[in-house]
Amino acid sequence: MKRCSILFVLVAATASLGCKRATPTNGDAGTSRASEATREQVLRGIGECTASEVASFATKAATFGQKANAAATVPSDATRKEAQDAWVAAIDQWERLEVMQFGPAATKAHPGGQDLRGSIYAWPLTSRCLIEQQIVSKAYEGATFSTALSSSRGLGAAEYLLFYAAPDNACSAGATINADGMWNALGATEIAARRLAYAGAVATDIAAVGTKLNTAWDPAQGNFVNELVKSVRGGSIYKTDQTAFNSVSDALFYVEADVKDTKVAHPLGILNCTTPTCPEGVESPYAKRSLTHIVNNLAGFRKLFFGCNDGNGQAFDDLLDAIGASSINTSVKVALEQAEAALASITSPDLETAIAQQNDKVRAVHTALKKLADVLKTEFVTVLDLELPQRVEGDND
Amino acid sequence: MIERLRRALEKQVDASGVAVFRMAFGVLVVVSVIRFFAYGWIDELYTKPKFFFTFWGMSHVTPLGGRGMHTVFAAIGLLALMVAIGAFYRIAIVLLFALFTYVQLVDVTNYLNHYYLVSLLAFLLCFTPANAKWSVDAWISPERARQQLPAFYTYLLRFQITVVYFYAGLAKANVDWLLHAQPLNIWLNARTNTPIIGSLFALPHAAYVMSWGGFLFDTTIPFFMLQRWSRPYAYAVIVIFHVFTQVLFPIGMFPSIMATSALIFFEPDWPRRLLAYVGIKVDEAKAASQAAPINRIALSLVLLYCAIQIGFPLRHRIYGGDVSWHEQGMRFSWKVMTREKNGSVTYNVTDPETGRTWEVLPRKYLTDRQLRDFSTQPDMILQLGHHVGEEHSRRLGRKVRVTVDALVSLNGRPAALLIDPNVNLLDIRDGMGLARWILPSPRNAPPHFVPVS
C-alpha cells in the first residue's frame, strides 16, 4: 500500500511537471495566441465571406444572361463583345468561388450539397463535340436543356460558344453531324448565329443557377451561413463544427488537385502527359484566360484561408493563430505569395505561350503550389485534426 | 514450479465463462459483418481500390472480386453466428479464423489492431472447447457436453487481453504522449464543442490529464481485473473508458470488442451466478472427471505462443528511433491511437535515356481512404513506388528511376522528409531489416496547442 502511494505521488508529480514544462513554449508553432477567435466566429467569417462572393457572382451571372441573350437576339460584333466581357466578369468571379465548393455548390454527397457547381462550371468536363452536336440539333432550345449533360452547359460551354469563331467542329469524321453532312450544311453564318443562340440559353441557365445558389446563401433566405454557425451548438446539417471545418477544408484542396495538378502540371508536361508538354490541356483554350483563372483561384483561396476584406475577416488563419499554430499561417502565406509572384512574373499572354516560352516561370508556379499543397496536406490537417470525408472506422493505427 | 503451473492450468473450472465469451465473440463478429454490408465497406475496401498493399511475405493474398468478397463476408457472418450459438463449432471457428484473417491480409491499409485481435481470439478459440456448454453442439450431443473445463483456456484468453491492454499502454510511454500530451491535445482541441463534455476539453490541462489517464488505464487495468477485490470497479472503469472513447473517436467496434472481451477476467462461473442473481436457475456445475493432463507438446506450444505475443510487439526496439515515425514494428504491436500523422507523397519518375522527369500521384492508384493511411507509412510508399516503376518501365520498354518526395507531419510538428528523396525506390527491397532509406524523425518536441471553443 505504501509502495502504491509512493508510485502515485511520483506519477502525479511527473504529470504536473510535464504540464508545466510543456505549456508555455513548445516546438516551432509556439503557443502564444495571436487571436482570440472562437470556432463559431471563424465558421461565421468563412460563411459570410462565401455568401458575399456568391452574391457578387449572382449579379455578374445575371448580367451575363442579359448580355448573351442580347447578342443572340441582335448578333453583332458589339453585342458579342459585350457578352464576352460579361462572361469574363462572371468567370473571374466564379474562379474565386471554385475554392469555396462546400454547402449548396458542392455535390449532393456533401452536407447541404445541391450540386449547383456542375451547372455553373463543369470544368474539366466540357465536351466541345457534344456542344456542336447540340448546335446542329438545337437541343439548347428544348425545355429540358437545363437538365442536359453539364459538359454541354455552363461557363465552359459558353467560353467555346462566345470565343471560338472558326466554322469547324471537334467531332470525328464518323460522327453523325459530319458523316451526314449536317454540320457543313449549316454554313458559317448559321453556325455563328446558333453559337450565339446557344450561348444565350447557356447564360440564362447559369443566371438561374446563380440565383438559386445566392438564395441558398442569402441571410434573408436560405441563410446557409447559419448552418455553419449552428454546427457549433447542434441542430445543423453538419453534425459537429468539426464536420463543418472538414467540409470547408476539403474545398481548400482545390488548389492541389485542380490548380496544381490539372491546370498547371498537366499542361506543363509533368503529370499525365506522354509528350514533353500538353498545352492542349489548358483550362481556357478559347478565351485564353488560363493564367487569370489560376490567379483568381488563388485569390479565392486567400479569402477562404485568410479572410475576406483584405484578410480582416475571420478565417482559418485566425483559428490557427488562436490555437498557437501561427507558423502554419506563415508557411501558407509564403507559398501563396511565391505562387502569386511566379504568376505575376509571366509576361506571356496565355498559359500555352508561357509553357513554350517561359517554361521555368510556369515551373516556379508549380513548385510554389506544391509547397502550398504540402503544408495543407501535412501540418494544416494535422493540427486541426481534419479528416477525409470518406473516413471509415479506424483505431488510428 | 512447472508442476505448479501445470496443476493451475489443469484445474477444472466452470465452463459457462468461456461459453459466454464464445457467444459474445460470435455476436460481435456478426455485428461487424452487418456494419460492413450496411455501410458499403466491402465495395469501398475490397472492390473499389485498383491497387492493394500486401503484407510482407503475403503478396499471394489477393481479393476475390466484388461478388467473391461479398460471399466471403456473408460466410464470415454465418460462421460467426454458428460460433455464437455453438453449432458445428469446431468447423465454424476454424473457417471463421481463416476467412477473417484472409480479409485482413488483402490490403495493409485495412489493418486495424482490433481486427488483428479478433483473428488472434479466433485462433485461440480454434483450440478451445467453447461449445462444451450452452451450445447447439452440446444440445445435440449431450455426451460431449461438459460443465467444466481446464482453467488453462480461460487463462490463455486472459493473457491475450492483458497483452493488448498492457502493450497499448506501453506504446504511450513516450515523450510525445506523456510530456507533451500529443496527439490528444490535437484531438481534444477539435472536440471542444462536443455536447456536455466538450467544455472540459477546453481546460488547459485536459490533454495531460487524459494522456496520463489513458496511459495508466491501459498499463494497469488488466492487472486490476486479475484481482478479485478490484475486478468490479476495474470493469466499471473499462466500460466508462470505452464508452468515452466510442463517443469521441471513430473507432468502430474496438470499444465493444475490448469491453466484451474483458468479461473473461471474471470468475469462470460468473454467468451462472449472474443468472442465479436474477432468479434464473441453471444446471449446477458438477465436478468433472479428471481431465486429461496437458501434454508437454501442447504446453510448449502455448508457451511459444505467449512468448511470441510478448516479444513481437517489442521488435521496434531492435530498429531504434521513433516507431511512430519510421513505422518499423508498428503493426501487430497494439500501438493504438498513439499518433496523429499526415503526409504528402509525390513520386518522380525519370527516364534515364532522355533525362525527362515527370510526377506520378498516388491518388491515381489509391482511394482517398487508402491514401491517408499510405502517405505516412514507408513500406507502403515503397510498395506503390515499385508498382509505379514497373508500370512505367513496361510502358517505356526500359527501366526507369523512381524517387519519392514524402513529407510527413507527426503530432503537429512541421512537416519533414520521411524518405531519402535521392534513393531510387526500385533499388530497395522491403524486408525485416533496418530501413536506412527512411530518414530519421524530427528531433524537436511537438507543439502544444491552445484549446479554442
Side-chain angles (χ1 to χ4, degrees), chain A residues 156-204:
Chain A
E159 179 185 352
Y160 161 76
L161 295 164
L162 290 172
F163 289 86
Y164 192 72
D168 62 328
N169 69 67
C171 297
S172 65
T176 313
I177 61 167
N178 289 325
D180 292 357
M182 290 187 284
W183 181 265
N184 286 336
L186 290 176
T189 309
E190 181 61 15
I191 288 170
R194 288 196 185 189
R195 277 177 179 155
L196 283 176
Y198 194 152
V202 164
T204 301

Side-chain angles (χ1 to χ4, degrees), chain A residues 22 28 31 39 241 261 269-270 273 275 323 366 370 374 379 382 385-386 388 390 392-397, chain B residues 41 113 115 186 191 193 208 250-253 339 342 344 356 359 363 368 372 405 414-415 448 450 453:
Chain A
D28 292 345
T31 53
R39 291 165 73 86
D241 57 333
D261 297 335
I270 56 178
C273 176
T275 48
I323 67 168
H366 177 261
K370 183 173 184 316
D374 283 341
E379 296 163 46
T382 301
D385 193 24
L386 296 165
L388 293 173
Q390 295 92 335
V392 293
E393 75 175 295
D395 54 12
N396 190 252
D397 51 8
Chain B
W41 289 343
N113 280 309
Y115 290 152
I186 290 170
R191 291 162 175 82
N193 291 313
Y208 287 100
I251 49 179
M253 295 295 293
R339 51 157 167 67
N342 289 285
S344 174
R356 185 178 170 225
E359 288 184 351
R363 69 165 180 266
D368 286 343
R372 166 127 184 179
D405 184 22
H448 188 82
V450 182
S453 292

Side-chain angles (χ1 to χ4, degrees), chain A residues 67-225:
Chain A
K67 299 291 182 188
N69 280 293
T73 311
V74 186
S76 71
D77 286 349
T79 54
R80 181 190 171 94
K81 178 72 172 61
E82 282 184 11
Q84 286 177 337
D85 290 346
W87 176 86
V88 166
I91 189 93
D92 282 359
Q93 181 59 27
W94 183 257
E95 290 288 354
R96 285 180 207 115
L97 279 163
E98 280 283 84
V99 193
M100 303 178 189
Q101 286 178 48
F102 57 93
T107 63
K108 288 178 179 167
H110 295 83
Q114 295 181 31
D115 214 0
L116 298 182
R117 189 260 176 184
S119 293
I120 294 170
Y121 191 46
W123 179 86
L125 303 175
T126 302
S127 170
R128 185 181 152 188
C129 176
L130 179 59
I131 295 167
E132 285 161 341
Q133 286 171 333
Q134 296 194 1
I135 285 173
V136 172
S137 68
K138 286 191 170 182
Y140 53 85
E141 290 181 346
T144 58
F145 177 64
S146 62
T147 56
L149 283 176
S150 58
S151 57
S152 65
R153 293 182 292 126
L155 290 163
E159 179 185 352
Y160 161 76
L161 295 164
L162 290 172
F163 289 86
Y164 192 72
D168 62 328
N169 69 67
C171 297
S172 65
T176 313
I177 61 167
N178 289 325
D180 292 357
M182 290 187 284
W183 181 265
N184 286 336
L186 290 176
T189 309
E190 181 61 15
I191 288 170
R194 288 196 185 189
R195 277 177 179 155
L196 283 176
Y198 194 152
V202 164
T204 301
D205 186 41
I206 292 169
V209 181
T211 301
K212 193 173 175 186
L213 182 61
N214 189 39
T215 303
W217 278 98
D218 187 350
Q221 299 180 75
N223 196 13
F224 195 79
V225 179

Side-chain angles (χ1 to χ4, degrees), chain B residues 292-410:
Chain B
I294 301 166
N295 67 45
R296 275 179 188 282
I297 295 171
L299 188 61
S300 302
L301 289 174
V302 168
L303 290 175
L304 176 66
Y305 177 85
C306 293
I308 290 170
Q309 285 301 314
I310 291 169
F312 201 56
L314 294 171
R315 69 192 187 283
H316 69 273
R317 292 277 171 199
I318 299 167
Y319 299 111
D322 183 353
V323 63
S324 293
W325 177 258
H326 60 60
E327 304 268 339
Q328 288 199 282
M330 188 77 183
R331 295 183 206 113
F332 312 110
S333 302
W334 314 115
K335 299 188 192 312
V336 185
M337 299 201 73
T338 56
R339 51 157 167 67
E340 178 61 35
K341 203 174 175 191
N342 289 285
S344 174
V345 177
T346 307
Y347 292 104
N348 294 302
V349 179
T350 304
D351 179 352
E353 200 166 293
T354 62
R356 185 178 170 225
T357 297
W358 60 95
E359 288 184 351
V360 176
L361 301 176
R363 69 165 180 266
K364 180 182 171 191
Y365 303 90
L366 308 178
T367 62
D368 286 343
R369 188 196 56 78
Q370 287 179 304
L371 202 54
R372 166 127 184 179
D373 283 343
F374 145 90
S375 62
T376 60
Q377 304 194 37
D379 61 338
M380 284 197 258
I381 295 173
L382 177 66
Q383 209 174 115
L384 184 60
H386 275 256
H387 179 76
V388 167
E390 284 156 14
E391 186 183 273
H392 285 260
S393 296
R394 255 197 321 273
R395 190 181 300 160
L396 287 176
R398 52 186 176 266
K399 200 173 178 188
V400 297
R401 177 183 160 82
V402 179
T403 58
V404 69
D405 184 22
L407 282 160
V408 166
S409 169
L410 174 64

Side-chain angles (χ1 to χ4, degrees), chain A residues 8 10-12 14-23 25-33 35-41 231-233 240-242 256-258 260-262 265 268-277 319-320 322-325 327-328 363 366 370 373-375 377-397, chain B residues 35-36 41 44-45 48 111-115 178-181 183 186-194 204-205 208-209 212 216 249-254 327 330-331 335-346 356-361 363-364 368-369 371-373 377 395 405 407-416 444-453:
Chain A
F8 178 77
L10 278 174
V11 166
T14 316
S16 147
L17 200 64
C19 299
K20 283 175 187 166
R21 276 184 185 161
T23 307
T25 52
N26 242 316
D28 292 345
T31 53
S32 58
R33 294 179 76 151
S35 162
E36 293 294 327
T38 64
R39 291 165 73 86
E40 182 177 329
Q41 286 168 349
S231 68
V232 175
R233 308 263 170 262
T240 63
D241 57 333
Q242 189 65 9
E256 191 214 8
D258 295 85
K260 173 176 77 74
D261 297 335
T262 313
L268 198 50
I270 56 178
L271 186 70
N272 303 330
C273 176
T274 51
T275 48
T277 60
L319 182 59
L320 290 167
I323 67 168
S327 65
I328 295 174
R363 280 183 182 268
H366 177 261
K370 183 173 184 316
D374 283 341
V375 177
K377 287 165 76 178
T378 56
E379 296 163 46
F380 174 70
V381 296
T382 301
V383 304
L384 294 180
D385 193 24
L386 296 165
E387 299 277 358
L388 293 173
Q390 295 92 335
R391 193 94 173 123
V392 293
E393 75 175 295
D395 54 12
N396 190 252
D397 51 8
Chain B
R35 281 161 55 88
F36 266 81
W41 289 343
E44 175 71 28
L45 272 57
K48 202 172 145 195
Y111 173 83
L112 290 177
N113 280 309
H114 57 277
Y115 290 152
L178 295 178
L179 296 188
H180 302 289
I186 290 170
W187 294 338
L188 296 184
N189 282 3
R191 291 162 175 82
T192 51
N193 291 313
T194 304
H205 298 306
Y208 287 100
V209 170
W212 277 88
L216 292 174
F249 306 111
I251 49 179
M253 295 295 293
F254 182 66
E327 304 268 339
M330 188 77 183
R331 295 183 206 113
K335 299 188 192 312
V336 185
M337 299 201 73
T338 56
R339 51 157 167 67
E340 178 61 35
K341 203 174 175 191
N342 289 285
S344 174
V345 177
T346 307
R356 185 178 170 225
T357 297
W358 60 95
E359 288 184 351
V360 176
L361 301 176
R363 69 165 180 266
K364 180 182 171 191
D368 286 343
R369 188 196 56 78
L371 202 54
R372 166 127 184 179
D373 283 343
Q377 304 194 37
R395 190 181 300 160
D405 184 22
L407 282 160
V408 166
S409 169
L410 174 64
N411 291 341
R413 289 179 179 85
N444 52 329
H448 188 82
F449 304 109
V450 182
V452 170
S453 292

